Amino acid sequence: MRPLPLPFPDETESPLVTELRFPTSGVTVRGVFELNEFAVLTPDNLEFLRLYIRVRGNLKEVERVLGVSYPTVRARFDTLLRAIGYEPEMADPHDEVLEKLERGEITPDEAARKLRR
């Protein structure tokens, strides 16, 4: 079996399924069925979702596993949210300062100055 050929070139709408086959029973059901939002994810988004679930929703762990920065992980998460029909929350600007402090990229004094702004 192969994965669904999605996204499909030049198509902007989600595909409709017209037949379901159950191999064990030999039953085939015909009709018009919609795929859910998870079924039409791109391979990259699906891979990210699987990792996110595997690490129980811990974005810091996703960052560690992928070896990318937290802002990159957050951007990929926001892309996934949009793909399944949700608008990502606006990031709190203080979060980035605290993350830099946690990673040792800035000193506590620098963080305090940035947080006061």
Side-chain angles (χ1 to χ4, degrees), residues 66-84:
L66 294 179
V68 297
S69 70
Y70 186 85
T72 299
V73 170
R74 185 64 194 232
R76 288 195 59 191
F77 185 69
D78 289 347
T79 299
L80 172 63
L81 286 178
R82 279 190 288 284
I84 60 174

Side-chain angles (χ1 to χ4, degrees), residues 6 17 23 32 36 46-47 52 54-55 64 67 70-71 85 91 105 109-110:
L6 298 174
V17 176
V32 178
N36 66 49
L46 187 56
E47 178 184 326
Y52 180 76
R54 191 173 77 226
V55 299
R64 187 191 69 73
Y70 186 85
E105 295 174 6
D109 289 339
E110 289 173 304

Side-chain angles (χ1 to χ4, degrees), residues 5-96:
L6 298 174
F8 201 79
D10 299 325
E11 282 293 333
T12 57
E13 293 183 272
S14 292
L16 297 174
V17 176
T18 58
E19 182 175 294
L20 297 172
R21 185 171 301 134
F22 299 90
T24 304
S25 66
V27 171
T28 298
V29 180
R30 289 186 178 86
V32 178
F33 311 98
E34 290 181 277
L35 295 171
N36 66 49
E37 64 272 30
F38 301 104
V40 294
L41 287 175
T42 64
D44 284 346
N45 277 333
L46 187 56
E47 178 184 326
F48 185 87
L49 177 60
R50 286 179 174 140
L51 174 59
Y52 180 76
I53 291 168
R54 191 173 77 226
V55 299
R56 294 172 169 76
N58 184 329
L59 290 179
K60 284 293 202 184
E61 185 64 10
V62 172
E63 175 187 8
R64 187 191 69 73
V65 171
L66 294 179
V68 297
S69 70
Y70 186 85
T72 299
V73 170
R74 185 64 194 232
R76 288 195 59 191
F77 185 69
D78 289 347
T79 299
L80 172 63
L81 286 178
R82 279 190 288 284
I84 60 174
Y86 296 104
E87 281 302 313
E89 295 177 14
M90 295 301 294
D92 183 344
H94 293 115
D95 288 348
E96 186 176 345

